[in-house]
Amino acid sequence: MLPGRQRSVGRPAEDNRRFVEAVLYRYRDGISWRDLPERFGDFRVVHTRFSRRARRGVWKKLFDRLAQDADNDYAMIDSTIVRDTSTAPGAEKRASTQPSGAAKAD
C-alpha cells in the first residue's frame, strides 16, 4: 500500500515501517513535524514523503482498506466510545463533599 516511486533515480525508501510509525507518532501526540524525535530521521524527509502520499490518495485508500476489515473494529475509536475523566482539562469543577480540616482548628 506504500509503494516507492517508480522510475526514480536514487535509493528506495529505507524503512516504510519507521516512516508509518513517525506519521502515527506525530498525529497521536499532536506535535508538529519539526518536533519528531530524531529516531524517525529528518522531519523534512518524513513530511515530504507524507505529503506525496497524501496528494496521491494513499492514506485515504489505506484507511478505507482498514475500515473494511471487520476485525479492526477495535481500532475505530471516536468520541462516542471515549470518555474523559472529571480531572480532564475543561471538565466542570465540582465542590468537594468532604469537610475540610480547617473548620476543626478549634
Side-chain angles (χ1 to χ4, degrees), residues 10-92:
R11 63 181 191 210
E14 289 184 13
D15 189 359
N16 273 338
R17 182 183 180 110
R18 184 176 60 184
F19 164 66
V20 171
E21 287 176 1
V23 171
L24 294 175
Y25 182 93
R26 189 249 181 206
Y27 282 101
R28 181 181 58 236
D29 288 2
I31 61 173
S32 67
W33 290 107
R34 182 177 303 276
D35 295 331
L36 273 176
E38 290 182 21
R39 70 178 179 263
F40 295 121
D42 186 353
F43 73 90
R44 291 172 288 240
V45 174
V46 176
H47 178 259
T48 300
R49 288 179 69 185
F50 172 81
S51 297
R52 285 179 183 153
R53 284 161 177 77
R55 281 192 297 270
R56 291 190 312 218
V58 171
W59 297 114
K60 181 170 178 4
K61 290 177 193 173
L62 183 63
F63 180 78
D64 290 345
R65 179 85 177 262
L66 290 172
Q68 289 175 357
D69 187 0
D71 292 338
N72 278 334
D73 286 343
Y74 68 91
M76 302 301 158
I77 299 173
D78 63 21
S79 62
T80 62
I81 60 173
V82 176
R83 296 177 187 235
D84 66 344
T85 64
S86 61
T87 59
E92 185 177 320

Side-chain angles (χ1 to χ4, degrees), residues 86-102:
S86 61
T87 59
E92 185 177 320
K93 304 295 183 209
R94 295 187 182 136
S96 174
T97 57
Q98 301 285 337
S100 74

